[in-house]
């Protein structure tokens, strides 16, 4: 039977709903009761599981201190329920500012909009994560038309104001001329000069003739600022023809610069990954985080389909007294890596001296900004298979009633890889596969029929390794796509922070540096 989703929620361990979306007719009290009962029903130590009660089924996934929860009827297809949970779990880090209560609260509108693209009338739509992102960010013709109408009205108001001001000025000038014409020529010249000076000093000009110009100009400026590629923070409910965005992830620093009229090009926030290690809260006055996320698609028969690295340098400052600084960096000089500074960073200073500082050195960097303020980002793409940090070869062969599978990995000497997990899909099995050789550890996920091969560390002592196992005779395509995740403490850009320069004198403040490479999507297809 097709799945019937009652509700999707993100709740904390006490059962409080941070984000909740209902898809079938059910009272609010009933929904709140189901969510409040959930923490009492679950155990500990499970990553993906479900719980059934007399009337409903809870399908859930832990996310740090939170739970992503899908409530369905008991007659729904558990496989479809798990697939729905899997897609929703990929969307949460795409739209959430961070995977904690504050980040989820700040992103609830974007999350609900994304959930609605996956689930309609209680049933899952056949969409991918990429399609959901495209639908949520789709521009609206009605929105553009609405903005054009508003801009036209503001322009007409300004034109009318200027015409009225000019008419008043002309009237005053005519009165002055009439008054001075009754005086002698010498007195006339003197009087006209005095009146001109008086008019200038008393602001008898178009700017203040109506007393409204300054306010309207200010309003016009604000309207132009608000008409830039916009955010979902002030967006109407879905279906109103307005563009949906991610403005709730924009930090206060960028918002303050916008209010001052600066042209801001907003960066897309980093998404989280299973492979990304959760960073502890900063304890040093200044923390700089160098992160690279890796997207790789390898062909099962050899070769490289896609290789993409995206990196960021983020700055976290605890106290404003340490915020008047410049950051000196150096990179490994890899010509394939293309760097780009934030629009509010002094580009000439970076190009000439490798210093990252604000265009206005009298302004401080923002403090206590969650995951930090992005200073620099970069990207690297390649078709050269030699740059891939980890290659996987899978060799299934049928012999009699069994299929024997040999999987080999080979790691580049440029990286020491940590927490490596190679996930191999298997055909539906009644029991675990027969593993005959392995370097590392393995685990069989019977619910998803996946064999997970884990290696804590790949360094010079184990740059290559193999796994061999046997399952009942199956087609070779059943063992693909193979998914890989890992982390590393060095990067492709080799970007490092070498110094912090205080702009108001004194000793350089103490700073910590975090460097991490992690996989976002790494597959053999």
């Amino acid at each position: 039977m097709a799945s019937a989703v009652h509700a999707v929620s993100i709740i904390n361990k006490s059962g409080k709903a941070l984000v909740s979306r209902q898809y079938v007719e059910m009272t609010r009290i009933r929904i709140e009761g189901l969510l409040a009962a959930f923490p009492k029903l679950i155990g500990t130590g499970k990553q993906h599981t479900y719980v059934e009660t007399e009337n409903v089924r809870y399908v859930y996934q832990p996310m740090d201190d939170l739970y992503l929860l899908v409530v369905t009827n008991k007659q729904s297809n558990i496989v479809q329920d798990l697939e729905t949970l899997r897609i929703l779990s990929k969307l949460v880090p795409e739209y959430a500012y961070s995977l904690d209560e504050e980040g989820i609260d700040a992103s609830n509108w974007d999350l609900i909009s994304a959930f609605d693209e996956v689930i309609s009338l209680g049933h899952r739509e056949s969409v991918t994560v990429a399609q959901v992102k495209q639908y949520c960010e789709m521009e609206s013709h009605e929105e553009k038309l609405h903005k054009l109408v508003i801009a036209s009205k503001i322009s007409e108001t300004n034109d009318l104001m200027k015409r009225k001001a000019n008419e008043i000025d002309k009237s005053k000038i005519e009165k002055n001329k009439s008054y001075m014409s009754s005086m002698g020529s010498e007195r006339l010249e003197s009087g006209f000069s005095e009146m001109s000076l008086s008019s200038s000093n008393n602001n008898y000009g178009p700017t203040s003739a109506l007393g409204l110009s300054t306010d309207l100009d200010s309003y016009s400026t604000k309207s132009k600022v608000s008409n830039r590629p916009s955010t979902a923070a002030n967006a109407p409910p879905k279906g109103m023809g307005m563009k949906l965005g991610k403005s709730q992830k924009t930090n206060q620093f960028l918002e303050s610069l916008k209010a001052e009229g600066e042209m801001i090009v907003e960066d897309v926030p980093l998404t989280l990954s299973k492979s990304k290690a959760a960073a502890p809260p900063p304890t040093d006055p200044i923390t700089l985080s160098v992160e690279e996320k890796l997207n790789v698609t390898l062909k099962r028969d050899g070769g490289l389909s896609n290789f993409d690295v995206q990196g960021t340098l983020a700055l976290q400052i605890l106290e404003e007294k340490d915020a008047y600084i410049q950051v000196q960096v150096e990179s490994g000089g890899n010509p394939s890596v293309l760097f780009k500074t934030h629009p509010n960073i002094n580009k000439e200073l970076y190009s000439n001296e490798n210093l990252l500082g604000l265009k206005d050195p009298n302004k401080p960097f923002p403090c206590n900004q969650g995951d930090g303020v992005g200073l620099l980002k970069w990207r690297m793409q390649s078709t050269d298979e030699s740059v891939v940090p980890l290659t996987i070869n899978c060799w299934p062969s049928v012999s009699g009633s069994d299929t024997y599978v040999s999987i080999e990995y080979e790691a580049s000497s440029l990286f020491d890889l940590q927490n490596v997990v190679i996930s191999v899909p298997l055909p539906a099995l009644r029991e675990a596969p027969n593993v005959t050789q392995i370097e590392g550890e393995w685990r069989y996920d019977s619910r998803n029929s996946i064999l997970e091969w884990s290696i804590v560390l790949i360094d010079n002592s184990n740059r290559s390794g193999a796994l061999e196992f046997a399952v009942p005779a199956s087609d070779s395509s059943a063992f693909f796509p193979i998914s890989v995740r890992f982390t590393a403490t060095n990067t492709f850009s080799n970007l490092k922070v070498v110094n912090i320069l205080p702009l108001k004198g004194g000793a350089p403040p103490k700073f910590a540096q975090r460097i991490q490479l992690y996989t976002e999507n790494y597959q053999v297809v």
Side-chain angles (χ1 to χ4, degrees):
M1 179 179 290
S3 296
V5 178
H6 293 343
V8 176
S9 298
I10 299 177
I11 66 175
N12 59 21
K13 291 186 176 181
S14 64
K16 176 186 176 182
L18 307 177
V19 174
S20 184
R21 185 62 162 165
Q22 181 179 335
Y23 292 99
V24 298
E25 289 294 334
M26 188 178 293
T27 65
R28 178 181 176 182
I29 295 177
R30 173 64 172 157
I31 287 291
E32 290 177 349
L34 291 173
L35 298 181
F38 170 72
K40 303 174 184 177
L41 300 174
I42 62 173
T44 58
K46 297 181 179 180
Q47 292 298 315
H48 303 272
T49 187
Y50 67 93
V51 175
E52 290 186 353
T53 66
E54 183 177 352
N55 299 313
V56 299
R57 174 187 295 145
Y58 298 94
V59 184
Y60 67 94
Q61 177 175 328
M63 300 186 304
D64 295 340
D65 293 330
L66 307 176
Y67 291 99
L68 174 62
L69 178 64
V70 178
V71 183
T72 70
N73 56 19
K74 289 182 64 176
Q75 293 76 31
S76 67
N77 188 318
I78 184 62
V79 176
Q80 293 185 15
D81 292 342
L82 291 171
E83 179 63 17
T84 300
L85 181 68
R86 184 185 68 83
I87 292 178
L88 294 176
S89 67
K90 289 185 176 181
L91 288 173
V92 171
E94 289 284 346
Y95 288 92
Y97 184 75
S98 58
L99 292 182
D100 54 25
E101 293 193 22
E102 181 179 352
I104 296 297
D105 281 338
S107 313
N108 53 10
W109 168 251
D110 292 327
L111 289 168
I112 289 175
S113 299
F115 291 167
D116 285 349
E117 297 295 343
V118 178
I119 301 171
S120 176
L121 300 177
H123 301 282
R124 183 174 67 85
E125 298 287 341
S126 180
V127 294
T128 64
V129 173
Q131 288 173 326
V132 171
K133 293 172 66 177
Q134 179 184 359
Y135 298 156
C136 287
E137 296 174 1
M138 189 174 295
E139 292 188 353
S140 166
H141 173 71
E142 288 81 1
E143 177 197 16
K144 291 182 178 179
L145 183 61
H146 173 75
K147 289 182 177 180
L148 289 174
V149 171
I150 294 297
S152 176
K153 290 181 178 180
I154 293 173
S155 178
E156 290 176 1
T157 303
N158 287 334
D159 291 340
L160 178 61
M161 174 270 300
K162 290 178 181 178
R163 287 198 301 269
K164 292 292 185 181
N166 288 333
E167 289 175 4
I168 293 174
D169 285 342
K170 288 179 181 179
S171 176
K172 289 183 177 181
I173 291 173
E174 290 297 330
K175 290 181 180 180
N176 289 336
K177 286 183 178 180
S178 176
Y179 171 76
M180 289 184 290
S181 64
S182 62
M183 302 171 66
S185 59
E186 181 179 344
R187 187 77 179 273
L188 174 62
E189 294 177 5
S190 175
F192 185 80
S193 175
E194 290 174 358
M195 289 304 296
S196 298
L197 292 173
S198 176
S199 175
S200 174
N201 292 334
N202 290 309
N203 294 324
Y204 287 149
T207 304
S208 62
L210 294 179
L212 297 174
S213 176
T214 302
D215 293 338
L216 285 174
D217 287 344
S218 176
Y219 175 68
S220 176
T221 301
K222 293 177 182 177
S223 298
K224 291 176 183 177
V225 172
S226 66
N227 284 338
R228 295 178 191 142
S230 182
T231 67
N234 297 318
K238 187 177 177 183
M240 291 293 288
M242 300 299 285
K243 181 178 178 181
L244 302 179
K246 300 183 182 179
S247 69
Q248 292 178 355
K249 298 182 179 71
T250 307
N251 55 47
Q252 296 176 355
F253 169 54
L254 298 183
E255 290 296 337
S256 64
L257 292 180
K258 281 184 178 182
E260 295 173 8
E262 292 286 346
M263 294 295 292
I264 304 298
V265 179
E266 296 182 4
D267 293 336
V268 177
L270 281 174
T271 56
L272 298 178
S273 166
K274 288 182 181 179
S275 300
K276 182 180 177 180
T283 56
D284 293 282
I286 297 176
T287 302
L288 293 119
S289 301
V290 178
E291 292 184 345
E292 287 186 352
K293 59 181 180 181
L294 184 59
N295 289 273
V296 174
T297 305
L298 298 166
K299 299 177 183 178
R300 68 182 71 179
D301 298 325
L304 182 63
S305 292
N306 177 62
F307 181 89
D308 181 75
V309 179
Q310 296 184 34
T312 59
L313 171 62
L315 170 67
Q316 291 175 285
I317 302 176
L318 296 183
E319 299 181 13
E320 186 172 341
K321 66 181 180 65
D322 298 318
Y324 296 89
I325 59 170
Q326 292 176 342
V327 180
Q328 186 175 16
V329 298
E330 66 177 20
S331 63
N334 188 339
S336 301
V337 179
L338 302 178
F339 292 91
K340 184 177 181 181
T341 59
H342 190 279
N344 293 296
I345 295 296
N346 189 326
K347 292 180 173 57
E348 292 185 3
L349 186 67
Y350 171 70
S351 300
N352 298 331
E353 303 180 44
N354 283 339
L355 287 175
L356 294 168
L358 292 175
K359 290 180 178 178
D360 185 352
N362 295 318
K363 289 184 177 180
F365 281 105
C367 305
N368 296 312
Q369 291 293 309
D371 289 337
V373 178
L375 304 182
L376 188 68
K377 64 181 180 180
W378 57 93
R379 189 170 189 178
M380 172 185 173
Q381 294 179 311
S382 179
T383 56
D384 183 4
E385 192 175 1
S386 65
V387 301
V388 176
L390 186 69
T391 56
I392 307 292
N393 292 313
C394 180
W395 304 89
S397 60
V398 179
S399 177
S401 60
D402 293 324
T403 295
Y404 295 90
V405 182
S406 177
I407 301 178
E408 299 176 338
Y409 75 78
E410 186 170 352
S412 167
S413 60
L414 300 177
F415 295 89
D416 289 346
L417 307 181
Q418 303 168 356
N419 303 316
V420 181
V421 178
I422 302 171
S423 300
V424 184
L426 303 179
L429 303 176
R430 294 184 178 179
E431 56 185 21
N434 180 22
V435 177
T436 57
Q437 177 184 342
I438 188 171
E439 297 180 26
E441 298 180 352
W442 67 279
R443 183 181 76 91
Y444 176 56
D445 181 355
S446 59
R447 179 170 300 165
N448 298 307
S449 194
I450 292 176
L451 175 63
E452 292 189 345
W453 178 15
S454 304
I455 306 104
V456 175
L457 175 65
I458 296 179
D459 56 14
N460 290 331
S461 65
N462 58 343
R463 291 293 177 192
S464 61
L467 164 68
E468 294 182 0
F469 63 90
V471 296
S474 305
D475 186 80
S476 61
S477 61
F479 305 99
F480 295 93
I482 298 173
S483 299
V484 183
R485 61 181 189 267
F486 57 79
T487 62
T489 55
N490 51 335
T491 61
F492 285 91
S493 65
N494 285 322
L495 184 81
K496 292 181 177 61
V497 177
V498 295
N499 200 6
I500 298 292
L501 305 180
L503 297 180
K504 292 193 172 183
K510 182 181 178 182
F511 72 95
Q513 184 172 190
R514 298 170 178 168
I515 300 176
Q516 186 181 45
L517 169 73
Y518 64 94
T519 56
E520 184 179 54
N521 185 25
Y522 200 110
Q523 290 188 327
V524 182
V525 298

